[in-house]
Amino acid sequence: MPLKSDSPSEFISKSASVTQVYTEEIYAHIISLIPTPVTFKANHDNCAASFTGSLEGDPEQVKQFEKHRNAVNEGLTILLGVAKAVTIKDPSVPETLRISALTGKTVASDITLSQPTGFKAIFNPNGQITGSWNKVNYAKGYQVWGCDGDPKIDSNWRLIASSSTCKKILLLGLDRAKNNWLRVRAVRGKGEAGPWSNIFSLAPTE
């Protein structure tokens, strides 16, 4: 997600600047730019009809076809962009709109998230523990979980950090007097998570 790596004060400041300009008027304007089912179908029907006429060599129909084709293409481009943007809340939208059939490309929601590799935890120059791992394709974010009890018992694990990136993530709230086990997984959309990485063992401090 954008800005998720910002500090809380930076995040709130940037969010506040948007509240000043994101008014009901601009919201309504944005919505008005998205083609409705009625307008999209009308543009499609006009495009199909003018294409049939253009096959007979009518210059005016050829001109009309290009005009309507541009209108349909504009609508498709907007719908594809909206579908991609809302996957963060509902990954099923691109599939509902058959984006893979339209673009010839498989959408992210059709891909199974893979296991994060290269997970390790180290101390940064400030003495804080940070975690890093290799990027997982099509992931929207990551979760790092920790355990200072028996790692074979699921209830002993708890969420340590969430991040949209995979490098130098602060891992706070660990009891450094105990041995800690850490693991990470990729996430995408609502309730969709990939497999866990290998467990990383962090020895207690002296």
Side-chain angles (χ1 to χ4, degrees), residues 81-94:
V82 170
K84 181 178 179 180
V86 301
T87 55
I88 191 172
K89 296 196 71 172
D90 187 351
S92 69
V93 172

Side-chain angles (χ1 to χ4, degrees), residues 1-12 14-15 88 133 139-145 159-170 185-189 192:
M1 294 183 186
L3 312 182
K4 194 167 184 180
S5 60
D6 287 355
S7 69
S9 59
E10 291 175 325
F11 180 82
I12 292 173
K14 292 178 180 179
S15 177
I88 191 172
W133 53 91
K140 295 296 184 181
Y142 305 89
Q143 294 178 343
V144 180
W145 288 59
L159 181 65
I160 298 297
S162 295
S163 175
S164 59
T165 63
C166 58
K167 300 298 180 184
K168 300 179 180 179
I169 310 306
L170 283 178
R185 65 181 178 182
V187 294
R188 180 182 61 208
E192 183 179 2

Side-chain angles (χ1 to χ4, degrees), residues 13-87:
S13 176
K14 292 178 180 179
S15 177
S17 68
V18 175
T19 65
Q20 297 173 7
V21 294
Y22 188 42
T23 62
E24 289 293 334
E25 289 75 18
I26 190 63
Y27 169 74
H29 177 63
I30 292 172
I31 295 300
S32 72
L33 299 177
I34 302 173
T36 68
V38 172
T39 58
F40 185 82
K41 185 177 186 305
N43 287 334
H44 162 77
D45 291 346
N46 289 334
C47 183
S50 58
F51 174 66
T52 301
S54 70
L55 295 177
E56 300 175 357
D58 184 338
E60 183 59 30
Q61 287 297 310
V62 172
K63 181 179 178 180
Q64 288 298 312
F65 169 69
E66 288 302 322
K67 174 185 174 181
H68 296 311
R69 178 175 180 171
N70 288 337
V72 172
N73 188 60
E74 180 182 82
L76 282 173
T77 302
I78 293 173
L79 289 174
L80 293 176
V82 170
K84 181 178 179 180
V86 301
T87 55

Side-chain angles (χ1 to χ4, degrees), residues 116-159:
T117 59
F119 178 54
K120 60 183 179 180
I122 61 173
F123 288 95
N124 67 15
N126 296 323
Q128 300 168 307
I129 300 173
T130 64
S132 296
W133 53 91
N134 297 324
K135 180 181 178 181
V136 174
N137 289 334
Y138 304 106
K140 295 296 184 181
Y142 305 89
Q143 294 178 343
V144 180
W145 288 59
C147 169
D148 54 22
D150 185 346
K152 295 187 293 294
I153 300 176
D154 286 342
S155 60
N156 286 340
W157 290 88
R158 66 187 188 281
L159 181 65

